[in-house]
Amino acid sequence: MNPDVKQRINQLRQQIDQHNHRYYVLDDPEIPDAEYDRLMRALQDLEAQYPESITPESPTQRVGAEPLSAFTQVEHRAPMLSLNNVFNENEFADFDRRIRERLSGESVRYSVEPKLDGLAISLRYEQGRFIQAATRGDGQQGEDVTQNVRTIAALPLRLLGDDWPEILEARGEIFMPKNGFERLNQKQRDLGEKTFANPRNAAAGSLRQLDPRITATRPLALFCYGVGEVIGHEMADTHSGNMALLKNWGLPISPELKILSSVADCQAYFEVIGAKRDALAYDIDGVVFKIDRIAQQHQLGSVARAPRWAIAQKFPAQEELTQIEAIEFQVGRTGALTPVARLQPVFVGGATVSNATLHNMDEVERKDIRVGDVVVIRRAGDVIPEVVRSLPQNRAANAPKILMPSHCPVCGSAVIRPAGEAVARCSGGLSCAAQRKEAIKHFASRKAMDIEGLGDKLIEQLVDLDLVHSPADLYQLPADTLASLERMGAKSADNLIAALGKSKQTTLGRFLYALGILGIGETMAAHLATELGSLEAIQNLRLRDLIEIKPSQAKNLQKALQTAVTSDQPLNKTPPPDTLKWCQTAHLQMLAERFSTLDELLNASPEQVANQPRLKIEGVGHVLAEKLVTFFQQPHNREVIDRLLALGIQWPAPTNAATEAKLAGLTFVLTGKLQQPRDQYKQQLIALGAKVTGSISKQTDYLVAGEAAGSKLGKAQELGVKIIDEAGLTVMLNV
Ligand code: IVH
């Protein structure tokens, strides 16, 4: 091989290793993915030309081996220990006291990090090259999973630099990040394969594949948290020092690692990590506290299979078992029927739970849940409790399946589930008391009309007593009627009437949001208000203003319609042809505005059928367009709006706000922990003409990064989005 080629190959390998390290270990990628792919392809091409150049450590060789028939056993040089647990602050304080006693009162520092919910792994490097990975097994002997672990992108196949031990055994945890887990399960569902109960099981299943090609497709990650055997290198005299060495050699370690001294600090850390738990990209189940000084670790030693120098403090379990007593259907604002499981109360995730959502009927069927089943309940942080899965082993053979009621349990109207949709809805609209209640709660809510003092209970009374049928009725309630209601009086009635009066002065965005149009959240409502400027413009939107059909699509549509339907069908009753994925009912509705019959459409030229929309409003696709237009087509909705306007609801006339507003045209994303509520900033930004979105893209102008900003920060850096902190934001809002 010519020396230039050899040098080029080495250079590519080094570059790729370096970028891998920046991406997976430092979480600070330097080049776009496409550029990385180009480097990889260049190396693959050269290696294909010069196969003799290939070494096992080449970044192209992560999936090297053929499937195994079984895993071989590996004896651990030093046993892989487990950890003792504590479950609260007092138990931790006891642990701390025992340690200090044993160390005759010496000062103690803890190296502290989250306890990852994955699988322990031992990683062996010889002369800086990765040569073996073994599972913990029984602590003495594990399984050789080298070929699978090689496929984990975050694992360096060669240690960085040249100052490493002859032999290094790093220990750590392999896990599957939450988003990768969701993606994997979705893929499994699409393929009709079995799904995994949680990321830990998915990681275990992935590591136990005999074919490394399968493992390579699984999104596994890894953090190191300790060292085993080390030969030929001086290590640090503290655990944290050793972690810094591992990090320098290119091994990933937890970014949350801290050194702390007092019980109070340790417990504060536990609280902070607990609060961050849901936001972390991976599952954790507690915090591990390790005595930092290695000499003290040796002095303390181990008992049974756990060290005396470390302890895990566990979070309250997020999953528990209980039994389903009944299943009921709740009717929401949009009429959606949600199956809800009534449970035997169970303490989970730090609270007692007696109801859990089953989301929708597809979920009920997929999870095969029946009344009387023992089920796993999950309550994670602020997330509403849900039924994860059923354990149907002890179910009576004749336990009936749960069926969607054919009529609304609240108003008796027919329940309709459009083909292809997961959600079934009560067709009663605002004649259904449940929908009316929710619609009015939404109308009065803080981000909508912000009617102070009009709480849920009061709204329920008003609807139950038939005093309020639509939001407009709120503004005509007599004071004495209000005063006579439960838990009301003359004073609170007056206050409420004043609050109703005050709410009449609003903004177009809030009003639009308050109407509760399906799919229109507060951000989209504000966006439509700035883009279109007036209620009239919004009410008069037609589908053809918003929906696009390209000339090439027009031709295909005509062809598909020709073969699929009979020509005496009216256009707006014609189902979209299922051969054209892009074509939805909205497209045919739109064409029905322009062509009176199917024949007319079929005889038109594709250019005539194609549609260039008058407006292109970001975020408004055919789904939203249809919802928006349909809402304002309903005479009932028009009536309510007219009444509200007649009752004096108003907003400042458009002052061409879109262009005059000082932050017009700028898109912001807010992330991390901020001093002021995020919503407050959001409203201020929107008021100044800015847009606030939830995810970073090339369109984002500013990321406002609070404390502990996570992946969005990385993404923003990657895309070159400007990053400001809270102080910077305050300056922009007040200039
Ligand atoms: S230290 C001798 N640190 O927890 C102590 N373990 O319950 C070795 N684990 O088998 C463990 N995160 O698989 C340590 N940051 C962390 C950890 C951690 C998860 C696992 C590890 C161990 C198990 C014990």
Side-chain angles (χ1 to χ4, degrees):
M1 201 186 341
N2 124 9
D4 284 353
V5 175
K6 193 164 177 182
Q7 200 195 346
R8 174 77 186 129
I9 289 180
N10 276 336
Q11 187 193 18
L12 280 168
R13 286 181 185 159
Q14 239 164 35
Q15 281 177 319
I16 293 170
D17 283 348
Q18 200 68 46
H19 290 305
N20 250 348
H21 180 246
R22 289 196 69 129
Y23 188 95
Y24 289 105
V25 182
L26 305 181
D27 200 12
D28 180 23
E30 192 176 38
I31 56 168
D33 291 358
E35 180 58 24
Y36 177 88
D37 294 343
R38 269 191 286 278
L39 293 174
M40 198 66 165
R41 221 162 314 124
L43 177 60
Q44 278 162 345
D45 289 348
L46 281 175
E47 287 183 348
Q49 268 180 53
Y50 304 97
E52 68 277 18
S53 72
I54 300 176
T55 63
E57 291 78 35
S58 169
T60 61
Q61 300 302 301
R62 289 203 175 256
V63 194
E66 289 297 306
L68 300 172
S69 53
F71 296 115
T72 52
Q73 293 288 316
V74 178
E75 188 89 24
H76 298 303
R77 314 281 165 119
M80 285 183 79
L81 301 176
S82 77
L83 291 168
N84 289 324
N85 294 321
V86 292
F87 292 93
N88 56 48
E89 173 159 10
N90 287 342
E91 291 179 10
F92 178 75
D94 287 345
F95 166 81
D96 175 79
R97 196 173 24 74
R98 282 197 305 273
I99 292 297
R100 290 179 199 265
E101 273 168 20
R102 276 191 179 267
L103 295 172
S104 324
E106 277 178 31
S107 71
V108 165
R109 288 192 308 170
Y110 290 103
S111 175
V112 188
E113 64 190 285
K115 184 168 192 296
L116 301 154
D117 202 4
L119 299 109
I121 194 83
S122 148
L123 306 164
R124 200 173 169 81
Y125 286 84
E126 291 183 5
Q127 314 300 342
R129 287 163 205 281
F130 171 69
I131 61 136
Q132 190 176 59
T135 60
R136 176 167 179 273
D138 62 5
Q140 306 295 328
Q141 235 184 29
E143 280 177 334
D144 185 330
V145 286
T146 310
Q147 297 308 331
N148 287 342
V149 172
R150 285 179 70 83
T151 68
I152 301 176
L155 179 98
L157 297 177
R158 284 187 305 187
L159 296 179
L160 296 186
D162 47 19
D163 184 28
W164 18 253
E166 266 164 57
I167 291 179
L168 169 71
E169 186 197 348
R171 289 177 176 180
E173 195 90 347
I174 287 180
F175 56 92
M176 189 176 287
K178 294 176 197 170
N179 61 3
F181 165 73
E182 295 298 338
R183 254 183 290 126
L184 172 60
N185 262 0
Q186 190 54 50
K187 203 162 87 185
Q188 297 287 100
R189 269 196 286 280
D190 292 346
L191 295 172
E193 307 258 334
K194 106 173 196 339
T195 55
F196 296 96
N198 53 46
R200 187 183 183 283
N201 287 7
S206 303
L207 207 57
R208 226 169 278 131
Q209 292 292 332
L210 290 168
D211 184 350
R213 281 170 301 197
I214 298 181
T215 312
T217 66
R218 302 286 173 82
L220 293 173
L222 141 96
F223 284 147
C224 291
Y225 55 59
V227 290
E229 189 176 42
V230 181
I231 297 178
H233 199 283
E234 183 93 3
M235 292 299 277
D237 56 7
T238 57
H239 174 78
S240 50
N242 282 342
M243 292 301 101
L245 285 173
L246 293 188
K247 187 171 178 182
N248 280 339
W249 292 327
L251 287 156
I253 65 166
S254 170
E256 311 288 343
L257 189 137
K258 291 258 171 350
I259 314 289
L260 303 171
S261 306
S262 69
V263 170
D265 286 354
C266 287
Q267 291 306 300
Y269 179 93
F270 182 78
E271 292 296 323
V272 170
I273 291 289
K276 251 171 100 168
R277 183 178 185 187
D278 289 339
L280 287 178
Y282 41 85
D283 273 352
I284 59 172
D285 57 356
V287 167
V288 185
F289 300 95
K290 297 168 203 167
I291 302 293
D292 197 34
R293 291 244 307 273
I294 303 291
Q296 289 180 330
Q297 288 188 0
H298 287 161
Q299 205 177 329
L300 290 163
S302 309
V303 254
R305 292 149 98 216
R308 274 205 202 90
W309 47 263
I311 197 86
Q313 186 171 350
K314 301 284 275 283
F315 296 127
Q318 289 188 317
E319 291 190 356
E320 284 294 350
L321 289 182
T322 189
Q323 201 171 13
I324 298 191
E325 291 177 336
I327 288 177
E328 288 170 11
F329 288 84
Q330 256 171 14
V331 185
R333 169 166 69 84
T334 60
L337 263 69
T338 308
V340 177
R342 307 283 176 221
L343 308 168
Q344 233 162 59
V346 58
F347 191 77
V348 53
T352 302
V353 168
S354 40
N355 300 306
T357 179
L358 292 162
H359 299 292
N360 56 52
M361 289 309 283
D362 281 353
E363 289 273 301
V364 172
E365 262 157 50
R366 188 163 65 73
K367 294 175 180 168
D368 186 21
I369 288 166
R370 320 243 179 129
V371 176
D373 277 4
V374 172
V375 289
V376 178
I377 298 299
R378 182 175 172 82
R379 180 182 178 275
D382 295 336
V383 184
I384 47 173
E386 62 165 353
V387 176
V388 181
R389 65 183 173 280
S390 169
L391 309 176
Q393 289 83 345
N394 301 322
R395 169 193 294 167
N398 57 357
K401 285 201 175 200
I402 296 157
L403 298 176
M404 177 58 85
S406 58
H407 291 88
C408 172
V410 177
C411 73
S413 302
V415 168
I416 295 167
R417 179 176 177 179
E421 278 188 28
V423 182
R425 293 179 201 276
C426 158
S427 59
L430 290 182
S431 73
C432 170
Q435 292 187 54
R436 226 180 309 143
K437 284 178 189 171
E438 296 308 315
I440 291 171
K441 286 179 196 171
H442 175 78
F443 182 83
S445 65
R446 207 169 42 78
K447 292 176 188 168
M449 300 304 284
D450 195 16
I451 307 173
E452 221 172 292
L454 186 55
D456 289 1
K457 287 276 176 297
L458 189 54
I459 292 172
E460 281 165 23
Q461 275 191 74
L462 290 168
V463 172
D464 287 339
L465 295 171
D466 246 355
L467 293 168
V468 168
H469 287 94
S470 90
D473 296 337
L474 291 171
Y475 293 95
Q476 292 181 310
L477 286 165
D480 51 349
T481 309
L482 281 174
S484 69
L485 296 173
E486 243 174 72
R487 280 186 291 170
M488 290 289 283
K491 180 96 179 67
S492 28
D494 285 349
N495 287 344
L496 180 56
I497 287 183
L500 280 159
K502 192 171 147 215
S503 76
K504 289 183 185 173
Q505 188 61 49
T506 185
T507 64
L508 175 55
R510 277 176 175 271
F511 182 70
L512 203 54
Y513 173 62
L515 294 175
I517 306 166
L518 225 56
I520 308 283
E522 40 149 356
T523 310
M524 180 48 80
H527 179 52
L528 287 170
T530 14
E531 288 285 313
L532 293 161
S534 74
L535 179 61
E536 242 183 350
I538 299 170
Q539 278 185 314
N540 294 338
L541 281 173
R542 298 159 306 179
L543 285 171
R544 75 184 96 150
D545 297 328
L546 299 166
I547 291 182
E548 176 171 17
I549 296 180
K550 299 193 183 99
S552 56
Q553 292 177 318
K555 204 162 166 185
N556 289 337
L557 176 63
Q558 285 176 307
K559 230 191 282 164
L561 286 174
Q562 203 140 33
T563 54
V565 290
T566 52
S567 67
D568 49 8
Q569 233 164 342
L571 247 181
N572 57 357
K573 296 273 174 342
T574 303
D578 45 358
T579 47
L580 297 179
K581 279 248 153 40
W582 60 267
C583 181
Q584 306 293 321
T585 50
H587 295 97
L588 290 165
Q589 292 298 323
M590 188 250 302
L591 290 167
E593 286 178 359
R594 300 174 43 215
F595 298 91
S596 39
T597 63
L598 180 58
D599 273 340
E600 203 182 299
L601 164 62
L602 292 179
N603 291 327
S605 72
E607 288 69 31
Q608 286 169 318
V609 175
N611 187 58
Q612 184 67 46
R614 182 173 65 91
L615 299 164
K616 273 214 164 146
I617 304 179
E618 209 194 315
V620 182
H622 65 84
V623 176
L624 212 53
E626 191 179 3
K627 289 181 173 153
L628 205 55
V629 173
T630 319
F631 181 87
F632 290 108
Q633 273 170 356
Q634 309 305 310
H636 168 82
N637 291 334
R638 290 264 184 172
E639 248 167 64
V640 173
I641 292 171
D642 290 345
R643 262 186 75 203
L644 286 167
L645 298 180
L647 286 162
I649 288 188
Q650 51 176 314
W651 48 85
T655 53
N656 211 355
T659 46
E660 275 179 26
K662 68 182 184 206
L663 300 181
L666 295 179
T667 302
F668 286 75
V669 173
L670 305 171
T671 191
K673 205 169 160 256
L674 302 168
Q675 303 294 321
Q676 302 294 319
R678 204 178 278 191
D679 271 341
Q680 181 184 318
Y681 284 134
K682 200 165 160 183
Q683 292 197 350
Q684 284 177 291
L685 284 165
I686 292 172
L688 292 174
K691 238 177 37 191
V692 180
T693 64
S695 58
I696 303 273
S697 74
K698 273 188 265 168
Q699 268 69 47
T700 312
D701 295 290
Y702 289 95
L703 173 71
V704 183
E707 233 177 88
S711 59
K712 286 186 188 155
L713 187 56
K715 182 96 190 278
Q717 284 162 340
E718 187 181 322
L719 293 176
V721 169
K722 290 190 214 76
I723 298 165
I724 56 173
D725 60 9
E726 195 165 0
L729 174 63
T730 318
V731 172
M732 288 182 87
L733 290 172
N734 295 315
V735 177

